[in-house]
Each structure stands twice: as structure tokens, then as C-alpha cells.
Amino acid sequence: MRLRELQLTAFGPFTDAVIPFGAAGACDLHVVLGRNEAGKSTTLRAIDALLFGFPHRISETQIHPAGKLRVGALIEAVPDAPARALARVRGNVRTLRDGTDEVVDDAVMQALLGAIEPALYRRLFLVTQEELREGGRGLLSGGGELGVSVFGATLGAGNLAGVTAQLKEIASRLFSPNANATKPLLNASLHAYHELFEAARELAIAPADYEHANELVAELAAARERQRKTIDELARQRASLQRLASVSGLLARRRVLQDELAGLGTLPELAADAVTQRELAGAAKVKAAGELREHRARRDELLARVRLTDLTGLEPVRDEQGRPQVDPVGTEVTDSINRAADNNVKLTEQARRAAEDLAGAEQKRADAAAALQAAGSAPAPAIELEQFTAALRATLPEIQTAQKQREIVARQSDQLERDLAALEPVLTLEQLRTCQPPAAALIERHEAAFERLATRLKELGDERKRLQAQHDDGQLRLAAASTAGLAELTEQRAAARADRDKLLTALGRELEQGRVEMARAIYVPLQAAVPAADRFSDALLARGGQVAEHERLAAELEDLAGKIKGHDDEIAQLIGERGEAQRQWRALWSGSGFEPLDEPAPMRHWHEQFTALRARALELDQQRQAQDERIAEGEMLAEAVRAQLARGGEQIDRRLPAAQLLDRAQAVIDDVQARIAEHEALARTLQERTTAVEDAQKKERQARQAIDVWTKEWNELLAPLPLTGESSPPRVRDLVTRLNALAGLLAQLREQEAQIAARQRELGQADERLAALCAAAGCKSVDELPAIERAVLDRNRKREQLGELEAQIVERGERPIPELERELAGRGNDEIAAELDAVGRDLETARGEQEQLIERHTRAEQARDELDHGADAARARDRAEQQASIAGEQAWSYLSAKAAQILLEQAIAYHREHSASPIVTRAEELVRQLTAGSLQRLLVDEMTPGQPMLVARRGSGEELTVDALSEGTRDQLYLALRLAALEHHLSVRPPLPLLLDDILVDSDDERLAAALPALASIAERTQVILLTHHQHVATTAEHVLGDRVRVHRLGA
Amino acid sequence: MRFLHLADLHLDSPLRGLARAGDAIRSGPGITREALAAAIGYALERHVDLVAIVGDVYDRDWQDFSTGVFFASQLRRLREEKIPVVVIHGNHDSQSQITRRLTLPDNVRVLSSKTPETLIFSELGLAVHGQSYAQRAVTENLVASYPAPIPGLVNVGLLHSGLGGGSGHDTYAPTALTDLQRCGYDYWALGHIHVRGPVGGLANVCYAGVIQGRSVRETGAHGGLLVTAEPGVEPVVEPVDFDVMRWALVDVDCSGAASWNDVLERSQPALEAAIGAAAGRPLAARVSLRGATALHDELLANGERVHSELEGVADAAASAGLWLERVTVDTSPPLGAMHADSELDQVLSATAGLAETTGALDEVLSELHRRVSAELGVRHDLSDELKPGPELRKRVLALGLARLRRELGLEPAPEE
């Protein structure tokens, strides 16, 4: 793959810059000369972006924003194959485009690149000055070892020895198999694990230790329990003695009380309230006798009042003693009689008023019937007149508006005709209605075509003028660049070379035929002919720049003349196109009924005005028609109104304005409506009064019926009462009052008789209770009772004292009295006190011992609990495991470094064995060129078995190891190896552009001139692009390589 | 009748593989202790009738009596509520000094190691059968001697066994499912295997699993089983989680990923799913990047960077603590995308197969393994992980190749 052209369309400082590498030719070497370092580096990054895409972060956005960056190229899959246009834009996907900006699959680019990975391409096909220096240092640090040197150059890896050393260093920092090593990280981690694990063991409690501590705790707990029991027993003894001491006095008092009770002898057992019972019975007897006397006097008074009562109109039953027996009339019946009497008054009044109202209503109805008869029949309504009048009134404002608008439309029509007359070209009202011009878009398209042709013709004219000026200037410069003498010098060099070649041919022939003498004879003139030919060559070389400039100017002039002719041809073609455009313009208007101007531009304005005017005309026509319709409708309605009025006998003049006509019609309508309303009012009055008579009749009937109902209910109410004679409401009220008074007296009499019987019963009961109390006390008279009662009370008090005393003894002694008597037997108070003192002392001693045991037990528990560090040991062990995990990560890191180191060492050896030889052979040729013959040979020194070394030999035969070479020469040696390895690579892989980043900048002129042919030889196999910002590199390349190199100057 | 089935408490057993978790996870009483305390709290709250602990209360090599004291203190909490506890010893705690010397509260019964023992809890209508290990390696089939079920009671068998083996655990007290079924018990409470759940599709034969995951080998939820049983009726077994942190293996499918961003964007939902499954607990995750991707070499060559980037994603995704135990690059290059065109890769692929290369590498692996197992012990996870062999060599070679490419500038670090 190679680039035919690189297009820096929008990248860094470049806009539409192109590097035309052109066809591959025999030698595909290019020097790209940038104005400065930035331009050169930018170009390198542009090529990288083209091939592999833009990186995410990019700095080439000085002019073009990141989203607009674009790099393109014409790419040949193989030299001289048809080129494919591809471009790269910035983005995440679909960044590869073709010449028409269509998206192209990335696989196309990958196929062109032979699927090489980006990193590998950069490694193999990009050589920088830094890599050369690093490579030189690598040769030195590798001591020139063959494998390291050649494999490093093959990989473009610079300092391979350095990589190996670095991997070794990393591995050794991580791990040493030496058991005593502690410094490497992994060894340190393992050591730390060990220590942490031991620490965990230290923190752990040994089960035996804990068990012993626990046993001690258990023993002390048992001792504490024994001591507690001893104390409990002593306390029990002391409590017992204290109990006996507290009851011995009480027991003595008990015995005294028992003796006193025995001395009282036998007494009756009286009820506790015997005295109270006796006193209550006596008092009840006195009270009952007094009340009996009072009730008997009251009864006699009531009997006298009954005998004096008036019984007229009443019919009472009488008892066996001849006393009347009556029940009172109940409150409910009394209330009913009172309510019925009041009702009778109200009903009588209502019947009277109903009869009067009926007579009045009948009189008013007769008056209304007479008035309606006097008024006669009702007039007919004017319905049609009302409808036409209403319609005319509703449309009147619209009709008036339509008449005013008619005048405005007439004025606007006049203005439209004036506007038509002002159009260019002019247009009549008739044409406005009938003309069918082409669409505005078509006119615009023709206008654009006319304009494009005009613009292009102007541009071509200007460009042609500029080219003509350049051509004229070029002719002057060509005339100035003199080539005088060059042709002559060329001929002289050709003659000298012909002489030299003739002599060489002859010399060869003589030598072949073994004619040594003849050969010697030829050799003498040959010695002179060779320098002569070289002199002419050198002279020509010295004037090479002048010739090249002359040729370049001539080529430029020819190119300019060609371009001018091209312009003339294009102008002629455009004039033809313009004629055709004018023909099509006229054809466009042929069916429109109108003749346009020659140019589309003014017609576009005309068309806009035409469209507006036609819209206005159409609108005016529509308005006029609507107004006429409105006016005609109004006239029709007025005629209908007049006809209706005439039918009513009123003739109206047609000239009367519509408003006045409406007033007249309204007056007629109002008169008819008033008369109809008056007749309707009279009919309504008669109807209302007929209804009033009917209501009065109904009320009079209802009043009479109410009186009948009352009479029936009154008779039913009186039937059960013991009354005789007239039953008018006032008399009945009086009889009921007297009946109730008699019933009240009889009730009081019965109450007094009941009270008398009750008092007599109470007197009997009191006598019975007193007799029973005497029987209980064993006496015959009530008077003896108080003395007996006092003796019994004294005995009972002593009994109570004895009971309380015994309860106190049992409570204090906590035992039954006989048991206490037994416990105490034989001991006095003093003896008990002495025993109490002794037990108290024992108890105090035991408690002191108990405190000591508690303290010892607590201490033992603390000691045992202190052994327990909780999870401390487990946590320490966890930390040890964490350290083991860290060791695991370090182990993997170590293994990857160590494996990488082993692989690299083995790979170097493998490569040395299988591929180094042809690379060294080719590198020898290259280093000879690159050092301008300073180094002639590149040899392999096998003196140290298994470690072959590179050795360089000078022309003088002096052999130099790598460390004996100067720094510059060592860099050249690396470059030779690098290029040789690349050639080796290209022998089996497809070619790709080799990018050289100013790699010759540090070479002196002699070495620069010597190195360029070496690059040219690579360029015979693949495209080589040397980027530099040093003019002398480009100049020397052109000088040394002539047409084998192409120099491209970057213009930002 | 309800009882709580626990096993494999491994109290105070350390967390493994958390190099970067800091001290946050290691503060407090320790996660296995917290898990046991949670289980006891649950038993009290739900008023279970009994707690069965089926072996391996402590790690075999752990001799801190504090662990035993803690265990006893937790069982005393049950005693206060009169909840009985039945314990058998397994391979880890049978010979432990802690087991021998620890005095447990009187609500705890440790079943005999000499012969199968039956405890009858008449008030619960329950008979518990089981046998402790007498020594670490019990090779005979203990179940063969287990007694017949007692009619009318719920019969529960306690057994610490790997059954037929093959689960990555040592096979102790080997037996077969048919042996267990033949006993005719209502429920088999098993211990030893650290994964919770029924065995062989039988709902009444279950492992309680380890109470708390301690390394990435013990992923997912852990705790115990709440068993509700009646005589002659299939028991209802409900898993109950007591773990205080979780472990997860998080696979991230990187197939076709074209950029680091792709990888990170795919990692986020995978990590979020794991965080969601942890239900608010702290989580330690091993992330495995898988699938064929053009980034294969780049990921492999920049392991540290991969870890850091994913830590960033993890930090953003997690509300509780989330640690990346490890990030493994298990991706592969896309088909046909080998570096066939590079001289280096041709040379390297030839070199990788050379006897000199594998010999030198094997020596490095052996040296490293010797040192690590000398310091950590041969049974340590890391010693096991670094045990020389073809698999390890292959993995190290792949890492070495990737690293070499990076060192030679052929595998650039990702853009910042």
C-alpha cells in the first residue's frame, strides 16, 4: 500500500493542503519539507489519523474545531494500481469516508494495511531521531550482543537490553527464592504473614490456662456457698433467742387475767345490744299511744263534714252504714269535658261567618257577568304584519352597511386599474383575469441559471487575466535564466564518458583474452580518461541547480499556457449555454398569453406584483356581489310590509324610507294587541268570581257538619257519669266539681281509720319485746334488767383483754402458746440474754470470713475473664490472611514479569539463530553507505561461546566493538540494522509507507549525502517519506538523488 | 414442632483473599461470630423448640479458647429461654482442645462419639439421633449403626458427612442416600458440605451449609434452615440467612467489546446485580472478564489498571462496602485476530513452546511455590493456587506474553 496523495483538508494549521506524492516510479522516496517542526509533526499525526482514526484527545484544533477535522488521501493498494479516495473524519464510529463523503467500512482501510495493528505499524514503519538514539544506547548497553542488537532493531524496540534489565529488576524487587531474603516485597509479605500469624497465636488463650482459671473460680464459688449456709444457721439461732426474750413477760400477765375471770362466777350470756333493745322497746310504746289519740279525733271531724254535703243532681251508692260511696271523676275526663265546652263556642261562631261570606260572593259574580256581556266579541291578531316588520328591522343595519361598502369598493376598483397601468410590462384588467404566467419557482430556477452562467463567465474572465499575467511574467523569468554553456558541457561529458567506456571495453576484452601487454597499454590512457569524465560530471553537478530551475520555469510556462487555453474553451462553451437558456426562457412563457422581458430577474418582481394584483381583483369582485345580494333582500321585505298595511286599509307611499315605514307598521301592531288584552282581562275576572262562590258554599257546608259531630261526642262523654237532668256544658261543669269534692272527703276518712289500726299494732309489739328480754336475763320484771346487764359487761371486757394478750404472744413468739411455754421452760431472761450475746459474736466472725471469700472469688473471675481477649486473636489472624492475599497479588505480578523476561531472552536467542544472519549481511551494505565507507564490514565475533558479538571493521582492517564506536556511528549502525530488518520484513509482508521523522538531521553533510542512497534503495521496495524541516536535507537529497527523490514543500 | 438446623460455624475462621479490603471488614467481633449471634437471636425471636448444630463449630487448627467462651455465651442465651441445643462434633472440632475443655451450659447436649445416641424430648414429640466424630478422619459408615425411628415421634438424624464425596471436601463418614432413607427418619440434618440445600432432590435430607462465607469459594447466601416437622409428614424446610457479608463470582461478558468504556459499561449491571443479591450486606466479588474481544491482550497486559477501573465502577455502584477480591482476565482474542503478521509474535509463539522456556519457567514456579508453602503451609489457599502444573504454566505464559508486548510498546496502555 502507498499514498499517491495526502490531503490535509482540515487539520492543525492546514486547510485544503495537498502533498502530491504521485506515481511510485522506480524509487518511491519523498522528502516532505515543513516550515517548522510543528508542520512536520502535524503531518505525521495526520497520516496516523488517516490510517487508524483520530485519537480521543487531539491538539490539532488551532484553526478547525475538533468536529470538523478531516484528513484524506488517494491510496494505491499496490504501486500504480488505480487509487482510491479515502478520508478520515473525527468521531467514534463511521469515521472513514470515500470521495463522495459516503461512509466506508473500516475493513477497507484494514485490508489496505494488511490488517497490521496500529501499535505494530508505529513500531516498524515509523523511525524517529529519538529511536535512533535509544537504539544506539541499546547497542551499547547490550554490549553489541548479536541477538539483542538484531532483534531490537527488528522490533524497532530501541533498547532491548534495557527492557530485559528492567524486567529482571522488577522481578528481583518482588521476589527472591533465597529463604533468608526479606527485602523483596513478596518475601517481606510472607515474613509479615508469619509474624502476624504468630501474633495471633500469642493473643490466643490456651484452653488449659482458661480451664485452670475456671476451676479456681468454681472452688471459691463453692466455698462462698458453704459460708453462706453457716451464716444462715447462726442468724436463725439468734432470731429464736430474740423471740423467746420478747414473749416471756406477756405469758406472766396472761396467767393473772385467767385467775380474775374464774373469780366472777356464772352470769347469763346476753346479746351485745341487750341494753339498746330494752331502751328502744320502751320508747316505741310511749310514742304509739300518743299518735293513736290524734288519729281518732281527726276521723270524727271528717265524718261530720260528709254528713253535711249537698247531693242534688248526683246519684251516689251508699255503704252498710249509709255513708255515700263515690269515685272522683278522673283528670282526663274532666279535661275532655272542659275542652268540649270551649269547642262548642268556637263552632257556633264559625257557622255564622260562613253563611255571611256565601251571600257576598254570589253578588260579585253577577256583577262580572254583566260587564263581559257589555264588552262584545274580541278582535283578530296581525301575525303576518308582525313577522315581516321584525325581519325588515333585523336586516336594516346590514342593508345600510352594504350600501356604504358599495361606494368603497367602487373607489378600490379605480385604484386597481391605476396600479395595473403602472406595471412594467403593462397589464390590462382583462389580461389580469386571463393571463397564466409560469410558476414563480420556474422563474427563479431560470434566474439562477442565468446568474450562474454570468458569474462563471466573470470568474473565468478574471482567472484568465491572472493566468495571462503569470504567463507573461514566466516568459520574462525564463528569458532571464540563462543556460548558456550547459549544452556544450553536457556534450563534453558525453564525449569523455564515451572515451572512458571505449577504453574500459577494450581493457576488458584484452584481459579476457589474456593479452596483458595490450591491456597495460590501454590502462595508461584509461587512467587519464576516468578523471576527465568525472571532471565534466562534477562540473555539470555543480550547475545542476541552474538547469533544474530553467527546466522548472519552462514546465511552469507550458502548464500556464495549457490552463489559459482550457479557460478559453470553457468561456466559449458557456456563451453557447447562455443562448440556450434564453431560448428556454421564451418557451416557458409561450402558453401564458403574455410576452415577457428578455431577462428573468425583472420578471420575477413582475410576477410577484401580478400575483398580488390578481388576488386583490378577485377579492373586490367577491365583495361587490355580496353587497348587491344584501340590498335586494331589504327591498323585498319592505314590499311585504306595505302589502300587509294595505290589507288593513292603510295605503303607504313606496318612497317612504324604510325606517319610517317600520314606525307606521309598529303603531298598527300595537293598537291591535291593546284591544285583545282588554277583552281577555274581563273574561278572567268572571272566571275568578265563579270560583270564589264555589269556595264559600263549600266552607258553609263544612261548618254545619262540625256542629253535628260535636253533639254526638258530648253525649258519649257524659254517659258513664252518675248525673241526672239537663246536660248543657255549664251545668255539667258544676256537677262534676261537687262530685269530686265529696270523693275527696271520703278518701281522707279511710286514711284516718287505717292509721288508728296501725298504732294499735305497734303497742302490742313493744310489750312482746320487753317480755323476751326479761326471759333472756332470767328475771320477771323489766325493772331488774339494768343491774344484770352491768355485771355481764364487766366479765366480757376481761375476756377481750385475755384474747388480745394471747394474740400478741403468738405474733411475737411466732409459735403457738403451748410450744412457747415448752421452749422457755427452765430458762430465765438473763440466761437467754447471755446466749444471745454468744451467737451475735459468732455471726460477726462468719460474715468477715464471707467478705474475704467474695473478694477472692471476684478476683479469680476477673483473672479468668482477663484471659479472654474476645476476637483479638481472630482479628490478628484475619490480618495475617490479608497479608497472604497481598502476597498472592505480588506473586502474580512477579510471575508475569519473570515470564516476560524469560520469553524475551528466549526470543532473542531464537531470533539470533533463525533470522539474524541475512539481516546482518544486508546491514553490512547499508552501514557502509550510511558511514560513507568509514565502516566496511560487519562481522560476528564468536570468541565467547553462546554470546556472539557484533564487530565493525574499518577500511583499514581495524575491528571495533560497539562500545568503541562513536555515538553518531553507533546510531548509524542501529539505523542500518533497522533498515535491514525492515527489508527482511518486506520480503515476506506487503509494503506500507515508511515514515522517517527527520532521522538524518544530526548527520554531517558527508554522511547525509551517503545515507540518502541507502534510503533510496529501501524506497525501491516501499514508499519512503522522510519528513524534515531542514532545507539542507531537501537540497542535498535533490542534489544527490536527482530524479530518484521528490521533494514536497508544505504550505500551511 | 420447629427447630433450627445449623452446621459448619467455623467460628473465628479468617476471611481469605481480601488484600484490599482494609480494616473495615475486620473490625467488630468478627463476621462468623456476628453470624452465630444473628442465628441465636433468630431462634429466640421465633421461639424455636430446639437448635441442632451439626459439627465443625471451630476450625481444626484454631486453639484460641476465647472462641469457645464466645460459643458457650451464645448457647447460654438459649438456656435463658429454655431452648435445648443438640451438638455433634465433626472432622474439624472432634479433637479440638477447645471442645475438650469447654464447659457448655446445661441446655446443651453433645452426642456421644462412641456409638449413635438418641435423645428424646417428650414434650416436643421429638427424637434426635446422632453420633459425634471421635477423631478427625472417620472412615466408616456411621449411619449403618443409627437406631430405628421411634414411632409416634418426629425422628431427626444428625450426621456430619460428605456422603459419597466429590464436592471438593474430604470424604468422612461416607454413606449413601439410600442408607439415610432406609433409616426412615423424618429429617436428616447434615453438616460438612458448605453449600446449603437439599441433597439428591430429597426435601428431608439437607445440608445447612456454612453459616458465613469466608472466601470466594463460598459465594451466595449462607445461614441455616428452619425446619417445621410433624410425625409422618414431610417437613417444611425454610432457608434463613444469617451471614453478615457475601461473596460473589461476577462474570462480565466482554464479547465484542471494542473499548475500555464498553468493558466498564458491561461491568456495571453485572456488579449491580451482585450487590442487589447481597441485600444490603457488604460484598466481596471476584470479577471474571470473559468472551472474545479485541481488547484481550490490552486487558491482560494492564491487569492493575483493569482492577483500578473496575474498583471505580464498584465504588459508584455500591452503597454498602464492596471489595473486588480479584479481577481475572479470562477473555480470548477474536477469531483470526492473532498477531500472525508480527515477527515478534511468530518468534514468541515459537519461543513459548521451547523446552528451554518451559523449563526455565517451571523452575521459577517451583522456587516460588517452595517459598510460599514454606511460609504459609502447604494447605494454605495461596500455596494451592501456586502449585506448579501445566495449567498454571499456561496462565503465567499468557500473562508474560501480554506483559512483554506492553513493555515493548506493542500493547499501549489505554488512553486516560
Side-chain angles (χ1 to χ4, degrees), chain A residues 858-915:
Chain A
T858 308
R859 276 203 305 272
E861 276 186 330
Q862 280 172 349
R864 182 197 63 189
D865 293 345
E866 277 168 12
L867 283 175
D868 181 7
H869 293 289
D872 285 356
R875 274 194 289 273
R877 191 177 172 210
D878 239 357
R879 279 193 289 277
E881 281 310 321
Q882 184 179 15
Q883 199 60 52
S885 302
I886 292 167
E889 292 190 355
Q890 289 161 340
W892 279 103
S893 193
Y894 165 74
L895 286 175
S896 77
K898 201 67 191 168
Q901 177 207 324
I902 290 170
L903 278 167
L904 183 54
E905 285 168 352
Q906 294 297 332
I908 289 167
Y910 182 89
H911 188 262
R912 180 177 63 213
E913 197 171 320
H914 292 85
S915 306

Side-chain angles (χ1 to χ4, degrees), chain B residues 81-391:
Chain B
E81 294 297 321
K82 299 185 170 45
I83 297 174
V85 181
V86 183
V87 178
I88 61 170
H89 295 313
N91 53 307
H92 270 277
D93 52 1
S94 59
Q95 289 179 312
S96 162
Q97 287 294 315
I98 303 173
T99 301
R100 287 182 190 172
R101 295 180 187 265
L102 186 68
T103 306
L104 293 170
D106 58 12
N107 59 323
V108 184
R109 287 291 305 273
V110 180
L111 298 187
S112 165
S113 62
K114 292 180 180 140
T115 176
E117 188 179 1
T118 297
L119 294 178
I120 294 175
F121 297 87
S122 312
E123 67 284 8
L124 302 178
L126 172 70
V128 181
H129 316 275
Q131 183 175 356
S132 288
Y133 280 24
Q135 68 279 338
R136 182 170 69 85
V138 171
T139 51
E140 69 269 30
N141 182 355
L142 297 178
V143 178
S145 312
Y146 271 41
I150 299 174
L153 299 181
V154 173
N155 285 271
V156 173
L158 310 188
L159 178 67
H160 194 85
S161 164
L163 301 184
S167 56
H169 292 257
D170 296 327
T171 304
Y172 296 128
T175 188
L177 264 182
T178 48
D179 292 345
L180 302 185
Q181 287 176 293
R182 207 173 293 131
C183 285
Y185 294 168
D186 296 287
Y187 181 75
W188 276 101
L190 303 182
H192 188 57
I193 303 296
H194 289 184
V195 180
R196 181 171 60 185
V199 182
L202 299 173
N204 67 334
V205 181
C206 296
Y207 280 106
V210 69
I211 196 168
Q212 165 66 56
R214 298 156 299 148
S215 75
V216 80
R217 292 178 180 187
E218 294 169 353
T219 56
H222 290 281
L225 296 167
L226 179 67
V227 184
T228 307
E230 299 297 333
V233 180
E234 183 161 282
V236 178
V237 183
E238 300 167 61
V240 193
D241 300 340
F242 301 127
D243 51 353
V244 292
M245 68 158 292
R246 293 261 164 97
W247 296 79
L249 285 170
V250 178
D251 281 356
V252 178
D253 183 5
C254 300
S255 304
S259 69
W260 280 62
N261 253 348
D262 286 352
V263 173
L264 300 182
E265 278 173 13
R266 292 177 194 201
S267 303
Q268 185 159 346
L271 280 168
E272 281 172 352
I275 291 163
R281 292 170 178 78
L283 179 71
R286 178 176 289 185
V287 178
S288 166
L289 305 181
R290 293 174 185 278
T293 167
L295 296 172
H296 169 73
D297 288 320
E298 201 170 319
L299 293 170
L300 210 54
N302 294 283
E304 192 65 28
R305 175 75 186 277
V306 173
H307 198 115
S308 303
E309 294 277 6
L310 282 173
E311 268 181 341
V313 175
D315 284 348
S319 54
L322 169 57
W323 299 278
L324 296 188
E325 184 256 4
R326 190 180 293 178
V327 178
T328 59
V329 178
D330 302 316
T331 51
S332 55
L335 276 180
M338 307 302 285
H339 317 285
D341 255 6
S342 147
E343 177 106 29
L344 171 72
D345 286 289
Q346 282 191 346
V347 172
L348 286 180
S349 57
T351 305
L354 291 176
E356 289 89 337
T357 307
T358 52
L361 202 55
D362 284 349
E363 197 182 325
V364 168
L365 293 176
S366 296
E367 281 172 353
L368 180 64
H369 182 253
R370 205 176 303 128
R371 204 63 253 128
V372 168
S373 52
E375 294 289 353
L376 307 188
V378 284
R379 291 181 67 91
H380 195 279
D381 286 358
L382 186 58
S383 306
D384 192 39
E385 183 179 330
L386 297 175
K387 204 178 215 170
E391 270 304 310

Side-chain angles (χ1 to χ4, degrees), chain B residues 54-73:
Chain B
V54 192
D56 289 359
V57 174
Y58 327 105
D59 275 356
R60 177 169 50 245
D61 53 354
W62 189 236
Q63 303 238 334
D64 181 11
F65 205 70
S66 286
T67 310
V69 172
F70 173 78
F71 179 55
S73 74

